[in-house]
């Protein structure tokens, strides 16, 4: 079964940047090549929401309005990893960020069958 591992979260000041990574665990032996990848986030007391997604080929991407122009999703097939580059971070971006894999790209949770454990992003001065 595909297992996803996120990394790259942490504490950053407003206006700063972070890059999150989403990799298929070596133990699972799976490649991400055939999966669309979505990034989601969940802030305390709020529902999980879609942030960005990318098709299996990398040719199609989507972003939530709240992050357009600040976040960028891309994937590296050689490294079997997908990334979320987050720039100009705001306190309201504070959340646990999850990556997910599924057959087609979407900002909707139910499109994804495989989920990582999440990584905390805190934007604060």
């Amino acid at each position: 079964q595909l297992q996803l591992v996120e990394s790259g979260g942490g504490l950053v000041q407003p206006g700063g940047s972070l890059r999150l990574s989403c990799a298929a665990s070596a133990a699972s032996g799976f490649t991400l090549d055939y999966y669309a990848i979505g990034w989601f986030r969940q802030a305390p007391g709020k529902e999980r929401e879609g942030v960005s997604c990318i098709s299996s080929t990398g040719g199609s991407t989507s972003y939530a309005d709240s992050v357009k122009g600040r976040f960028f999703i891309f994937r590296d097939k050689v490294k079997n990893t997908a990334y979320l580059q987050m720039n100009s971070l705001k306190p309201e971006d504070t959340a646990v960020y999850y990556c997910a894999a599924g057959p087609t790209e979407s900002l909707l949770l139910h499109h994804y069958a495989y989920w990582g454990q999440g990584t905390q992003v805190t934007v604060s001065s």
Side-chain angles (χ1 to χ4, degrees):
Q1 180 173 337
L2 176 62
Q3 297 176 349
L4 302 174
V5 180
E6 301 102 333
S7 60
L11 173 64
V12 63
Q13 292 186 341
S17 297
L18 282 175
R19 178 178 291 181
L20 306 183
S21 300
C22 173
S25 73
S28 71
F30 278 78
T31 174
L32 295 181
D33 284 0
Y34 307 111
Y35 294 93
I37 301 296
W39 282 98
F40 296 81
R41 66 185 181 186
Q42 188 166 18
K46 295 188 177 181
E47 293 186 354
R48 193 171 299 188
E49 63 176 357
V51 174
S52 183
C53 58
I54 187 168
S55 63
S56 59
T57 64
S60 176
T61 59
S62 294
Y63 298 91
D65 287 345
S66 58
V67 305
K68 279 181 181 176
R70 300 189 297 123
F71 290 12
F72 301 93
I73 190 170
F74 60 100
R75 60 194 305 162
D76 185 330
K77 295 207 170 187
V78 173
K79 295 183 178 180
N80 201 23
T81 302
Y83 302 91
L84 184 68
Q85 177 67 41
M86 305 186 297
N87 301 324
S88 302
L89 282 161
K90 305 175 181 179
E92 51 263 45
D93 294 318
T94 295
V96 178
Y97 283 71
Y98 301 87
C99 70
T104 58
E105 69 275 18
S106 172
L107 294 179
L108 301 177
L109 277 70
H110 68 265
H111 280 245
Y112 297 91
Y114 304 101
W115 291 82
Q117 81 290 350
T119 185
Q120 176 71 46
V121 171
T122 302
V123 185
S124 175
S125 55

